Amino acid sequence: MQEGEMAADGARSRLGNLAHRGGGGSNSSSPSSSPKLGGGRSRTPPQHQKHSPASPGSKHQQLRQGIPASPGHTFRRVTLTKPTFCHHCTDFIWGLAGFQCEVCNFMSHEKCLKHMKTLCACMAPSLVRVPVSHCFRPPGHYKKKFCAVCRKLLDDSLALRCEVCELHVHADCVLFTCSDCRLCYHDSQQDHDTYHHHWREGNLSSSARCEVCKKTCGSSEVLSGMRCEWCGIQAHAACYVILNHECTFGKLRNMVLPPNSVLLQSRNFSKMHCFRISESLQTEQDEDNETDGIIQGSVKETPTSTDSSKQSLKIYDGHDAVKRNQPRTISVPRIAKSEEVVEAALRAFYIPDEPQDYELETLTQQTLVSDDIINRNGATDDGKVSSVFKETTPEAWIIRAKPKEREVIKVYLGWMKVGVAYISIPVALETTVKNIIQEVLLQLRRLKENVDDFRLVEVLMGSKQVQRMVLPIEDLILDRLKDIRKTSIRQMNQTRFYLEENLKPDIKIEILLSGLPPLLSAEEYTNILKDSLGIKEHLVTVVPAYAPQGAVVLQISCFSEAERIFMLVKDTTVNNKQITAVIIPHIMHEKLPQYSCPLLVFVNPKSGGLKGRDLLYSFRKLLNPHQVFELTNGGPLPGFHTFSQVPYFRVLVCGGDGTVGWVLGALEEIRHKLVCTEPSIAVLPLGTGNDLGRVLRWGAGYSGEDPYSVLLSVDEAENVLMDRWTILLDAQEVVDSMENGISEPEPPKIVQMNNYCGIGIDAELSLDFHHAREIEPGKFNSRFHNKGVYVRAGLQKLSHNRNLHKDLKLQVDQQEVELPNIEGLIFLNIPSWGSGADLWGSDNDNRYGKPRIDDGLLEVVGVTGVVHMGQVQGGLRSGIRIAQGSYFRVTLLKPIPVQVDGEPWIQPPGQIIISAAGPKVHMLKKSKQKQKKTSSSSKEAKGDSVTLNDNGS
């Protein structure tokens, strides 16, 4: 069989509760303790068969090779024509022969076959107890990654990447992906208190080391090695089975939001909606990769074989594939039994069933014909084997399941507190759903239970969406199986039946709406939303929890109404302002462990070098996606509202100084709504200046460090206090009122300051940069380019006159201060300005105290022009020290540029008053020990971090 003929039904990954594993701990509620949940039968025949020189695609060849039994694989001996590595041990396969699985392309030494632990891809769905769909972004290119379905390199092929777990898969293989994404929250009855490792195979760093034997377990040549997607431990496929089943979330346990503490009723919402992932944004690939857009056409077909002894056939697995024009192409010998052709068709759709249970019919006739050779199992009347094909053999066929009068189905109990994974129930033509429920209760010895208190749920484990349907109590189950197989036998392989308690759930979906007029009552907000969204008051409760911010919380008791409102908001404006909607999960704080201090992560993907997209992806993998928030989707408010009842948490802000100020301002506004009123805040600098990040030892800017190491640094950081300042801008310039034509003063404006406030040349340069970025935002994707723009703007200001002191007056602590000849006046809260320059200077001065970020004082410094600023940047000079105080009044005599924490504007004549802003804020400062360790052995640290957690970014 050629490589293109093979695919697989599901990734070789597990939710951690693996039944086929040996050793380790177990739990009574885990399927691993159930003798009824097996890894699947072996499809490889016993060893007594003799070798035969049959055709490569024939099952007879693998029947007679004496290959040891293996977990679900169908191995055949192949001749190697290029360097090949074993997927089990990752060593080179010496010689010309190896063994390859015809379904999933698993390559192996002969000696490794008897030690095989990795299941074939077609068996993966059987290991998933609670199916969870993946969260795929638009397809793109991902180099040096392997497809989790067909095990081949992605390279130049279009591929998809799950935003929550480690799964990478070809766009052509996505239909065969198993619904085994991480379980990050529970929905009504899905509630789990004990967590097992969630294993994902392959795509580890080549330097990854095994947790058990401490040897290298990663490979850049093949899909090999196992990694837990929660705690990050890595191991060989042969070693991970002896590890303890239970996962404790590793070194990040203190900051991970445990999945069992998150409740989200998400029946009508996609994973993209639930995790607040912007659907309009294109996927981000690894370096120097670009996306080619959306998949076109149907599933990729195998190229037609040029071998004259073979024939290519298009196979459809049911009416759904015919309707979508998505066949799979198989290449089979012209001289072959029909059973071999049927098995090749099953392999193409990765169905692990026996071929004698299926038959093929031509696509054109849609019915079985009695003298159709292919349905006579390749035998003539005299019992001799015959060729399947004649000269007029059709090229398109549909594979069908033969009708049965009796079957055995598995009824899973994963959403009930029961110690077994599933119960096997025999069914006949007359068996109804009610009969199955009765039989399950009988086997569970729950004879006193009422059948009406339970329901049978059919679950389709699609890769992008898990679909659930409650079966009517009188339905005949064999008829239901027949209908599913007629639609798609592949879907039948991905369909489960679950027994659930027939409880009526208390439905409450919360949606946070922003962008509404501020400071209105609940009744006024309700009337606005009735007019613009047509909300139904008996289903929707409007809570004006954040009226000062123009935001309300909708509590909705109907799934369809919640979905309707959420979709309608995208095209709705109020007072010409776009409304935004964010689905809010409910954190059950009472389920948080005592040691838990979950980390609330805010990422601004537009900051600085535009590295925020990679960080969003990495943090969603390393943590629970429900604790990672994208600031361009609703700002900081959704995150703080989600964590409002969490007793103790920390915050990580990924962005520039302006982003940090945005988050701190939002925190100040809603602090009284939080149980944890003073969360400590760490900074991962993504901006151009990043002065606050420098002061707190987080560095000059993010340059691709391992996000896992960043999180460890946050966990070990020191808590420090920092002053914040309120700036009142009271302009005296009048504006014309639109209502009555009367000239009125512009209303006062209040802004918050964390780092510094600049008046004059400093703000003018920042304003020029701001205008340039607004004109061509795509060019401002690196700190080096951004600083170049600053330099060019500065060169244009060299001829400015030093007369700022004539255009303003300064009072410090109610004392008039005479200003020298300066062109810029700067108020400093932190000892870093203009990308790390020490504007105040380090010289001792008896007039002033040593600056600190928590001393309740600001330092006032002057600069004489662009040349002086350049000298300060180069460390050649300091600024002109003017004053130090806690209360400032600046009188502007004409319009002058002003900037606060990098946000510039032209301020009209009037008063500027700067004073302390309420309580000090708690910031996290990177520990010196951690900083020295990182800088002294960066290469070693990087290797260690990859070993602990290779996140692929």
Side-chain angles (χ1 to χ4, degrees):
M1 177 180 284
Q2 299 178 16
E3 285 188 356
E5 298 169 23
M6 291 178 279
D9 195 358
R12 280 139 310 281
S13 52
R14 264 70 69 191
L15 281 174
N17 40 15
L18 302 182
H20 72 285
R21 299 176 1 178
S26 63
N27 182 277
S28 61
S29 64
S30 166
S32 60
S33 63
S34 168
K36 295 194 175 186
L37 181 60
R41 58 182 173 76
S42 169
R43 299 181 61 218
T44 309
Q47 300 185 28
H48 65 269
Q49 303 288 354
K50 296 181 180 180
H51 177 75
S52 171
S55 56
S58 168
K59 185 177 180 180
H60 282 277
Q61 183 185 19
Q62 64 112 0
L63 277 169
R64 295 167 182 164
Q65 284 179 346
I67 302 172
S70 57
H73 293 284
T74 305
F75 282 108
R76 63 186 173 92
R77 186 186 297 272
V78 292
T79 301
L80 305 178
T81 58
K82 59 183 180 180
T84 307
F85 292 81
C86 177
H87 291 197
H88 176 73
C89 67
T90 72
D91 289 340
F92 185 76
I93 300 178
W94 295 96
L96 298 177
F99 290 86
Q100 182 179 35
C101 175
E102 294 184 307
V103 178
C104 69
N105 297 323
F106 193 104
M107 289 293 303
S108 176
H109 293 101
E110 184 174 8
K111 65 180 181 180
C112 291
L113 291 177
K114 59 184 177 181
H115 303 295
M116 192 73 62
K117 302 293 183 183
T118 305
L119 264 72
C120 181
C122 66
M123 305 302 298
S126 66
L127 295 177
V128 181
R129 179 164 179 175
V130 179
V132 181
S133 60
H134 292 285
C135 189
F136 291 119
R137 294 291 290 275
H141 292 296
Y142 302 93
K143 291 190 179 297
K144 300 180 181 179
K145 298 291 182 183
F146 291 88
C147 176
V149 173
C150 68
R151 309 185 71 90
K152 298 177 184 176
L153 263 176
L154 299 180
D155 277 349
D156 297 327
S157 302
L158 276 177
L160 294 97
R161 179 183 73 180
C162 178
E163 290 297 297
V164 179
C165 69
E166 293 282 347
L167 187 79
H168 290 76
V169 60
H170 284 111
D172 303 318
C173 295
V174 69
L175 288 176
F176 308 99
T177 304
C178 188
S179 297
D180 61 349
C181 192
R182 283 195 299 165
L183 184 67
C184 299
Y185 60 92
H186 70 92
D187 189 340
S188 69
Q189 295 188 23
Q190 300 180 35
D191 190 1
H192 303 272
D193 294 324
T194 301
Y195 288 91
H196 298 264
H197 292 296
H198 186 121
W199 296 108
R200 178 74 67 202
E201 185 186 11
N203 288 322
L204 309 182
S205 164
S206 57
S207 61
R209 293 195 175 275
C210 178
E211 184 76 12
V212 178
C213 67
K214 308 304 179 184
K215 297 179 181 178
T216 300
C217 62
S219 172
S220 58
E221 304 293 340
V222 293
L223 187 78
S224 67
M226 308 296 291
R227 175 186 177 276
C228 174
E229 296 192 10
W230 282 115
C231 66
I233 64 170
Q234 298 163 126
H236 292 100
C239 295
Y240 84 107
V241 293
I242 67 175
L243 289 170
N244 194 325
H245 293 313
E246 188 173 350
C247 178
T248 59
F249 300 104
K251 291 186 177 181
L252 303 180
R253 68 176 65 90
N254 293 338
M255 58 176 61
V256 171
L257 186 64
N260 69 318
S261 67
V262 184
L263 174 65
L264 179 61
Q265 295 173 313
S266 59
R267 189 166 68 186
N268 285 23
F269 296 106
S270 70
K271 294 283 285 293
M272 304 283 276
H273 296 154
C274 294
F275 293 138
R276 304 162 304 281
I277 299 173
S278 302
E279 298 176 80
S280 60
L281 295 168
Q282 290 297 312
T283 189
E284 294 289 328
Q285 294 79 29
D286 295 337
E287 274 185 48
D288 45 347
N289 293 335
E290 297 178 358
T291 183
D292 280 356
I294 307 301
I295 307 172
Q296 300 290 336
S298 62
V299 175
K300 181 177 69 177
E301 300 177 7
T302 303
T304 304
S305 174
T306 57
D307 188 349
S308 60
S309 66
K310 293 186 176 183
Q311 181 162 340
S312 296
L313 296 177
K314 288 183 178 180
I315 306 293
Y316 295 87
D317 77 321
H319 292 164
D320 186 65
V322 174
K323 180 180 177 182
R324 299 175 184 270
N325 189 27
Q326 291 183 333
R328 306 289 288 179
T329 302
I330 63 172
S331 181
V332 293
R334 293 184 180 274
I335 303 176
K337 292 197 303 182
S338 64
E339 182 180 339
E340 296 161 6
V341 180
V342 171
E343 187 185 22
L346 289 173
R347 285 200 300 266
F349 288 97
Y350 312 109
I351 311 298
D353 300 342
E354 295 292 346
Q356 57 263 29
D357 295 332
Y358 293 84
E359 55 198 357
L360 295 177
E361 65 178 16
T362 60
L363 177 61
T364 53
Q365 63 190 79
Q366 294 286 308
T367 55
L368 297 176
V369 180
S370 60
D371 61 348
D372 189 351
I373 297 177
I374 206 164
N375 293 320
R376 294 167 59 186
N377 291 327
T380 57
D381 291 339
D382 60 2
K384 296 180 180 179
V385 174
S386 169
S387 169
V388 172
F389 301 108
K390 296 181 179 180
E391 293 180 2
T392 59
T393 302
E395 291 188 359
W397 300 78
I398 297 182
I399 188 168
R400 299 288 195 193
K402 293 180 181 179
K404 296 181 180 180
E405 295 186 356
R406 298 187 66 84
E407 284 195 54
V408 175
I409 69 167
K410 298 173 182 176
V411 179
Y412 283 77
L413 309 165
W415 293 333
M416 298 174 61
K417 296 291 186 180
V418 182
V420 294
Y422 63 75
I423 292 179
S424 299
I425 304 293
V427 295
L429 292 174
E430 66 279 3
T431 304
T432 64
V433 170
K434 183 176 182 179
N435 299 144
I436 290 176
I437 296 175
Q438 290 173 332
E439 180 63 25
V440 172
L441 294 177
L442 177 65
Q443 293 200 31
L444 292 176
R445 299 179 181 178
R446 299 174 70 164
L447 303 178
K448 296 181 180 180
E449 301 278 0
N450 189 342
V451 174
D452 295 334
D453 293 337
F454 295 88
R455 62 189 176 194
L456 191 66
V457 182
E458 177 188 305
V459 176
L460 173 59
M461 305 188 297
S463 61
K464 295 183 179 179
Q465 186 177 7
V466 174
Q467 301 176 22
R468 304 173 68 243
M469 183 176 70
V470 179
L471 297 180
I473 198 78
E474 298 301 331
D475 266 16
L476 296 172
I477 197 66
L478 277 186
D479 288 349
R480 184 60 198 151
L481 299 180
K482 182 179 178 182
D483 290 342
I484 298 172
R485 288 178 176 134
K486 187 178 292 184
T487 301
S488 168
I489 60 170
R490 173 186 60 81
Q491 289 185 11
M492 184 66 239
N493 194 45
Q494 295 177 335
T495 299
R496 288 269 182 84
F497 296 97
Y498 282 86
L499 185 68
E500 292 183 3
E501 292 181 88
N502 201 14
L503 301 175
K504 189 174 181 179
D506 182 19
I507 300 172
K508 189 174 76 171
I509 304 113
E510 284 197 356
I511 297 179
L512 181 68
L513 291 187
S514 303
L516 297 169
L519 299 172
L520 300 182
S521 65
E523 184 179 357
E524 290 172 315
Y525 281 124
T526 301
N527 291 333
I528 289 176
L529 296 177
K530 283 172 66 177
D531 293 338
S532 56
L533 299 175
I535 64 171
K536 302 176 178 66
E537 288 189 76
H538 66 287
L539 298 175
V540 182
T541 303
V542 180
V543 182
Y546 305 100
Q549 292 77 35
V552 299
V553 177
L554 303 185
Q555 296 179 345
I556 308 170
S557 60
C558 173
F559 284 115
S560 57
E561 176 70 0
E563 183 184 30
R564 185 190 69 82
I565 292 173
F566 184 81
M567 301 307 292
L568 195 58
V569 163
K570 296 180 179 180
D571 302 315
T572 302
T573 59
V574 174
N575 295 345
N576 295 322
K577 188 174 181 181
Q578 177 67 47
I579 305 178
T580 59
V582 178
I583 299 170
I584 300 296
H586 174 61
I587 298 180
M588 297 177 289
H589 58 89
E590 65 276 3
K591 286 201 169 188
L592 292 172
Q594 289 185 350
Y595 59 80
S596 178
C597 177
L599 185 69
L600 172 58
V601 180
F602 291 112
V603 180
N604 187 351
K606 295 182 178 180
S607 289
L610 301 179
K611 296 183 180 293
R613 292 274 162 239
D614 292 330
L615 285 172
L616 277 168
Y617 171 63
S618 297
F619 288 140
R620 287 191 186 113
K621 289 190 311 175
L622 295 170
L623 303 171
N624 190 322
H626 284 300
Q627 60 190 117
V628 181
F629 289 79
E630 185 177 342
L631 285 171
T632 53
N633 188 9
L637 192 55
F640 283 127
H641 176 69
T642 301
F643 275 62
S644 60
Q645 299 303 310
V646 177
Y648 185 50
F649 67 93
R650 292 182 175 187
V651 179
L652 172 63
V653 182
C654 306
D657 290 338
T659 301
V660 178
W662 185 14
V663 173
L664 289 174
L667 174 61
E668 190 63 37
E669 290 178 349
I670 66 168
R671 188 188 300 274
H672 62 286
K673 297 277 187 180
L674 306 177
V675 173
C676 179
T677 57
E678 296 181 344
S680 299
I681 298 174
V683 178
L684 182 59
L686 299 182
T688 303
N690 303 318
D691 289 289
L692 184 58
R694 297 168 193 264
V695 170
L696 297 175
R697 301 198 193 112
W698 295 106
Y702 178 72
S703 56
E705 294 88 355
D706 181 24
Y708 182 80
S709 297
V710 171
L711 294 177
L712 290 178
S713 297
V714 172
D715 195 36
E716 299 170 4
E718 307 166 8
N719 194 59
V720 297
L721 294 174
M722 186 181 76
D723 299 323
R724 295 189 75 231
W725 300 83
T726 297
I727 301 179
L728 174 66
L729 303 158
D730 189 5
Q732 295 176 350
E733 187 177 274
V734 296
V735 294
D736 293 333
S737 173
M738 298 299 293
E739 295 181 2
N740 50 26
I742 301 174
S743 296
E744 297 179 352
E746 185 176 315
K749 184 169 70 170
I750 296 177
V751 297
Q752 303 293 326
M753 183 189 82
N754 303 306
N755 299 350
Y756 43 75
C757 169
I759 301 174
I761 185 63
D762 172 45
E764 192 172 346
L765 291 177
S766 183
L767 190 63
D768 290 345
F769 174 84
H770 183 72
H771 288 159
R773 183 164 56 181
E774 282 187 334
I775 294 172
E776 294 181 296
K779 291 186 176 181
F780 290 76
N781 55 7
S782 73
R783 285 188 290 274
F784 182 79
H785 174 271
N786 296 354
K787 290 181 179 180
V789 175
Y790 264 114
V791 171
R792 288 197 297 272
L795 294 175
Q796 297 171 3
K797 311 292 182 183
L798 287 175
S799 60
H800 274 219
N801 296 321
R802 305 176 188 174
N803 56 7
L804 180 67
H805 60 286
K806 298 178 181 179
D807 300 327
L808 57 80
K809 295 180 181 179
L810 172 65
Q811 284 186 3
V812 179
D813 293 334
Q814 300 183 348
Q815 298 291 323
E816 198 80 28
V817 175
E818 184 176 351
L819 296 174
N821 293 344
I822 57 174
E823 197 176 334
L825 187 68
I826 301 162
F827 299 83
L828 298 172
N829 184 44
I830 62 175
S832 178
W833 167 85
S835 301
D838 185 3
L839 190 58
W840 181 258
S842 57
D843 295 340
N844 294 326
D845 193 328
N846 295 330
R847 296 175 299 166
Y848 310 111
K850 186 177 180 180
R852 296 204 337 256
I853 63 174
D854 63 343
D855 58 3
L857 300 174
L858 286 180
E859 287 69 47
V860 186
V861 185
V863 292
T864 59
V866 173
V867 174
H868 186 184
M869 292 170 62
Q871 292 171 329
V872 173
Q873 293 279 359
L876 302 176
R877 289 180 64 185
S878 299
I880 301 172
R881 296 180 182 179
I882 295 175
Q884 192 177 44
S886 58
Y887 181 84
F888 307 86
R889 180 188 292 269
V890 181
T891 304
L892 302 185
L893 304 179
K894 73 173 190 178
I896 297 177
V898 173
Q899 68 102 349
V900 175
D901 290 345
E903 300 298 323
W905 69 91
I906 299 293
Q907 180 64 23
Q911 303 289 324
I912 299 178
I913 298 174
I914 306 176
S915 60
K920 304 177 191 295
V921 293
H922 292 256
M923 304 299 293
L924 289 172
K925 191 173 187 178
K926 192 173 185 179
S927 66
K928 281 188 177 180
Q929 183 178 2
K930 186 73 177 179
Q931 191 180 33
K932 288 179 180 177
K933 183 179 178 181
T934 303
S935 60
S936 63
S937 57
S938 58
K939 184 175 180 180
E940 181 183 348
K942 185 176 181 181
D944 292 342
S945 66
V946 170
T947 300
L948 289 167
N949 188 41
D950 175 38
N951 53 54
S953 60

